[in-house]
Amino acid sequence: MIASTTMNLLSNYNILYINLDSRTERRENIESQLRARGLLSRSDLITHRISGVVGSDLSDPDYAQSLADEFGVDLEKMTPDYWLSRKNFKTMCNNKDKVIGQVGCYLAHLRAIKWAVDNDLDNVIILEDDCVILGEDDEDVEFPEPPETAEMFYLGGLFWHQTKEISEIKKTQHWLKIDPSVLKIACAFGYGFNTTRSLINVHTLLTNVWLDGKGKDKPRDWRTSGQRIRATAVDIMFVNFIQKMGEAYILSQPKMVQSDAFISD
């Protein structure tokens, strides 16, 4: 089936952007781009800042408790010890500071998705604060309507090839359906959802780490809340589940890139 060539606009989406309170220069980066395009303050749709999560602050009992309350879990499931256990958070990294930073990023994206679900949003695009929107500074961003089957779509991303030729990816006009056996899309600086159901499914995926029992790495029933899943970096969660076992697409001509002007959080 050939995807629709109907064009859409960034202004037709609710926009959530993630930014740590301490990173004021990154906040200005993303807000200045949205402001120039008339997308920062709107009356018809939502543009909302999501405060980032400071992973290193999980060692502060009050901070950890506030997050535990926010996500409705026991305090012990929000401590550094919990997240540094590979029974709960899978990583090849041995640097505890970097791992805890990944946890903060994971929780920040979960916070954004939870906010969208709690507010019954659909048509949502989530941005990180180091995102660079391509095109004229004062013009809306136009892009082809994502395929109806898309559970998630990327407006840009970093990628790595697998062993097969890139030409094997099936093109759906302006969108590429992501096949991780050929191409994986990493980073999560600009991605979106067309439906509330897709948001709920990803919320379920990211919160399943807090279920009791032995965690699995890649259960095929990830859209349900019956199976505990070991978490990992949020962009890799998207690779392992939505890209590999769902329907994920990326624009063949990206509309966003990640700035190299900022040090990674």
Side-chain angles (χ1 to χ4, degrees), residues 44-97:
D44 51 343
L45 291 169
I46 291 171
T47 300
H48 180 72
R49 176 180 173 271
I50 300 292
S51 180
V53 175
V54 184
S56 60
D57 284 355
L58 291 173
S59 58
D60 178 344
D62 291 337
Y63 187 75
Q65 185 65 66
S66 68
L67 287 171
D69 293 342
E70 176 181 347
F71 292 111
V73 300
D74 294 336
L75 175 59
E76 65 182 26
K77 295 182 177 181
M78 199 58 73
T79 62
D81 285 346
Y82 182 87
W83 288 108
L84 290 172
S85 169
R86 293 187 179 177
K87 294 180 180 179
N88 303 315
F89 194 83
K90 182 175 64 172
T91 178
M92 297 297 291
C93 180
N94 292 318
N95 186 314
K96 293 183 179 180
D97 291 338

Side-chain angles (χ1 to χ4, degrees), residues 113 116-124 148-152 192-206 221-225 242 247:
I113 292 166
V117 171
D118 289 347
N119 287 276
D120 297 319
L121 299 184
D122 56 10
N123 283 2
V124 174
E148 291 183 0
T149 57
E151 294 182 89
M152 178 178 179
F193 305 91
N194 280 330
T195 68
T196 303
R197 171 46 56 189
S198 294
L199 283 157
I200 292 172
N201 288 343
V202 177
H203 180 268
T204 299
L205 169 67
L206 297 182
D221 57 346
W222 59 270
R223 297 176 185 85
T224 67
S225 59
I242 307 174
E247 294 272 341

Side-chain angles (χ1 to χ4, degrees), residues 87-88 208 211-217 226-230:
K87 294 180 180 179
N88 303 315
N208 276 350
L211 295 177
D212 294 328
K214 184 178 179 180
K216 292 187 176 180
D217 288 339
Q227 176 62 59
R228 183 173 183 273
I229 297 173
R230 280 204 303 170

Side-chain angles (χ1 to χ4, degrees), residues 137-180:
D137 291 345
D138 59 350
E139 292 183 2
D140 204 346
V141 179
E142 185 179 55
F143 55 92
E145 183 77 19
E148 291 183 0
T149 57
E151 294 182 89
M152 178 178 179
F153 60 87
Y154 293 83
L155 297 176
L158 303 180
F159 60 89
W160 68 93
H161 294 188
Q162 303 302 297
T163 57
K164 297 182 180 180
E165 294 296 327
I166 191 68
S167 59
E168 292 187 26
I169 290 181
K170 296 179 180 179
K171 293 185 178 181
T172 310
Q173 289 194 342
H174 302 289
W175 289 92
L176 300 177
K177 185 178 184 299
I178 301 169
D179 178 356

